Amino acid sequence: MPQFNPEYFAPQLVWLVITFLALYLLMSRLILPRINGILAQREDRIDGNLQRAEALKEEAAQVLAGYQKAIADARAQAQAALAKAAADIAAETAAREAEFARKMADQTAAAEAGIRAAKTRALADVRGIAGEVAAMMAGKVADTSVDANAAAEAVDSVMKERT
Amino acid sequence: MAAEAHSPLAQFEIQPLGGPIHIGGLDVSFTNSSLWMVIAVAAITAFMLLGTRKQAIVPGRWQSLCEGMYDFVSNMLRDNVGQEGRAYFPFVFSLFMFILFANVLGLLPGAFTVTSHIVVTGAMALFIFVMVTIVGIVRHGLHFFTYFAPQGAPMWLMPLMIPIEIISYAIRPMTLSIRLFANMVAGHVMLAVIGGFAFALGVWAGWLPIAAVTALFGLELLIACLQAYVFTILTCIYLHDAIHLH
């Protein structure tokens, strides 16, 4: 076998040392730092992106919180306005009702007074007429003239008995 | 070449390219072996350099392959040696790439397989053996030699255990180098022998060996990658033993 021919041991060993040393230097000085750099850069980029994503997420959470707070504020404000409006309306309604009730009471009182006056007047008229009718009846039936005043008194006494 | 082609071993012949060169009595002739070592180093460097030329954050296919190589060796070293192994990463990476490219390039028709020579694999294995032993002694001092007396073994077994441990440690460079060398030689011899049958059987039956060689070529490609992996992972395990003493 040519492998066991010592004639070419030395050149193979020498060139093995030369080429392997060259390879080692190329790899350790050039290639491996290069790949290491690429990998480190990629890791940095990924870390950076993750951090940015985290920051954005936080910002989004803040925005959401602000939005929710704004909505809550608006809702509270709306409710306050609503309550105030309701209170105003209730107050005005109450005031108008009071006014109306007062007017009605006045009108009722006036009407009642009118009615009372008319009733009094009517009753007085009834008494007068009753007296005249009684005097007239007495003249026609008993054929006696009765004094108007006596007739009125008689009517009065009858009315007192009946009522 | 026609005369040599008869022997399946002819593919392992070393042939000087250009004249012999001697420096201080040392034969440093540039041979076909040297040429393929240079080609392997150039190919590795070109592969890694061109693959990473864009230095893209999102890697393309080629860059993924380069990073995959890096991660593969890096993970192998981390899993087998741990954090202390980082210092040896450039060496282990160079070793893996060198053997992988030498093995795979050797499968090209007409190529010379650098790793099919015991002197090359032996030199690499011996270097690793010496390096690992020095690492162990520097890290642990004389305590390193307790490596040969496994803890927890009963005392009366020690006369048996210690020689076994020493022998298994001492033959590491041999097993490491012969495994790679023998795999490469056997594969290439087999391909050459079966390929030779194609000529012998002629037109009518020659397709059969060619089909067999095609299938075996796939197997050899697998072995080329596998042996590079085995050589590298054993280096990692030896480093682990030296650093952690079992």
Side-chain angles (χ1 to χ4, degrees), chain B residues 80-102:
Chain B
N80 289 291
V81 187
Q83 211 49 48
E84 299 91 332
R86 276 321 284 182
Y88 307 98
F89 179 58
F91 173 75
V92 175
F93 185 79
S94 306
L95 189 73
F96 175 72
M97 293 302 270
F98 186 78
I99 297 172
L100 180 70
F101 271 68

Side-chain angles (χ1 to χ4, degrees), chain B residues 109-123:
Chain B
F112 180 87
T113 313
V114 172
T115 44
S116 70
H117 275 252
I118 185 73
V119 67
V120 171
T121 62

Side-chain angles (χ1 to χ4, degrees), chain B residues 151-231:
Chain B
Q151 280 179 348
M155 222 42 191
W156 57 269
L157 261 178
M158 282 303 171
L160 196 62
M161 293 289 278
I162 291 173
I164 289 175
E165 286 289 332
I166 290 175
I167 290 168
S168 73
Y169 188 81
I171 63 167
R172 273 177 179 182
M174 270 177 269
T175 56
L176 191 59
S177 59
I178 290 171
R179 183 180 301 111
L180 177 58
F181 154 74
N183 268 287
M184 289 301 111
V185 170
H188 282 79
V189 167
M190 187 167 62
L191 287 178
V193 167
I194 297 177
F197 288 162
F199 291 98
L201 291 172
V203 181
W204 299 112
W207 59 271
L208 201 66
I210 290 174
V213 163
T214 309
L216 282 172
F217 191 87
L219 178 71
E220 285 308 314
L221 206 57
L222 175 74
I223 290 176
C225 299
L226 194 67
Q227 286 304 319
Y229 172 68
V230 167
F231 199 99

Side-chain angles (χ1 to χ4, degrees), chain A residues 130-149:
Chain A
E132 275 173 33
V133 169
M136 224 151 66
M137 290 276 278
K140 291 263 169 117
V141 176
D143 209 12
T144 54
S145 75
V146 178
D147 184 38
N149 282 345

Side-chain angles (χ1 to χ4, degrees), chain B:
Chain B
M1 287 297 278
E4 290 164 347
H6 292 299
S7 166
L9 294 178
Q11 58 182 319
F12 303 120
E13 292 288 358
I14 301 272
Q15 285 145 1
L17 309 170
I21 310 166
H22 291 267
I23 296 174
L26 190 67
D27 185 2
V28 296
S29 310
F30 193 78
T31 64
N32 51 352
S33 171
S34 324
L35 175 67
W36 283 95
M37 288 178 193
V38 172
I39 289 175
V41 170
I44 295 165
T45 309
F47 173 76
M48 297 303 284
L49 210 56
L50 293 177
T52 58
R53 71 192 181 285
K54 287 183 201 152
Q55 312 216 5
I57 292 291
V58 179
R61 269 176 277 185
W62 195 349
Q63 192 180 319
S64 293
L65 213 56
C66 294
E67 288 175 12
M69 292 282 192
Y70 180 99
D71 284 340
F72 179 67
V73 179
S74 174
N75 290 341
M76 198 187 337
L77 197 65
R78 202 190 50 229
D79 294 345
N80 289 291
V81 187
Q83 211 49 48
E84 299 91 332
R86 276 321 284 182
Y88 307 98
F89 179 58
F91 173 75
V92 175
F93 185 79
S94 306
L95 189 73
F96 175 72
M97 293 302 270
F98 186 78
I99 297 172
L100 180 70
F101 271 68
N103 290 355
V104 173
L105 288 172
L107 282 171
L108 292 175
F112 180 87
T113 313
V114 172
T115 44
S116 70
H117 275 252
I118 185 73
V119 67
V120 171
T121 62
M124 290 194 292
L126 204 63
F127 178 81
I128 290 162
F129 177 76
V130 171
M131 177 184 89
V132 160
T133 308
I134 290 172
V135 166
I137 291 174
V138 166
R139 267 189 175 260
H140 301 289
L142 287 177
H143 192 67
F144 170 70
F145 294 99
T146 60
Y147 176 78
F148 300 116
Q151 280 179 348
M155 222 42 191
W156 57 269
L157 261 178
M158 282 303 171
L160 196 62
M161 293 289 278
I162 291 173
I164 289 175
E165 286 289 332
I166 290 175
I167 290 168
S168 73
Y169 188 81
I171 63 167
R172 273 177 179 182
M174 270 177 269
T175 56
L176 191 59
S177 59
I178 290 171
R179 183 180 301 111
L180 177 58
F181 154 74
N183 268 287
M184 289 301 111
V185 170
H188 282 79
V189 167
M190 187 167 62
L191 287 178
V193 167
I194 297 177
F197 288 162
F199 291 98
L201 291 172
V203 181
W204 299 112
W207 59 271
L208 201 66
I210 290 174
V213 163
T214 309
L216 282 172
F217 191 87
L219 178 71
E220 285 308 314
L221 206 57
L222 175 74
I223 290 176
C225 299
L226 194 67
Q227 286 304 319
Y229 172 68
V230 167
F231 199 99
T232 315
I233 202 159
L234 283 170
T235 303
C236 291
I237 290 169
Y238 297 163
L239 265 173
H240 169 266
D241 287 349
I243 291 172
H244 301 291
L245 299 180
H246 279 299

Side-chain angles (χ1 to χ4, degrees), chain A residues 89-110:
Chain A
I89 289 168
E92 186 155 353
T93 309
R96 280 191 189 175
E97 266 176 7
E99 174 97 346
F100 181 68
R102 199 169 49 71
K103 268 189 193 164
M104 286 301 283
D106 285 357
Q107 280 176 4
T108 310

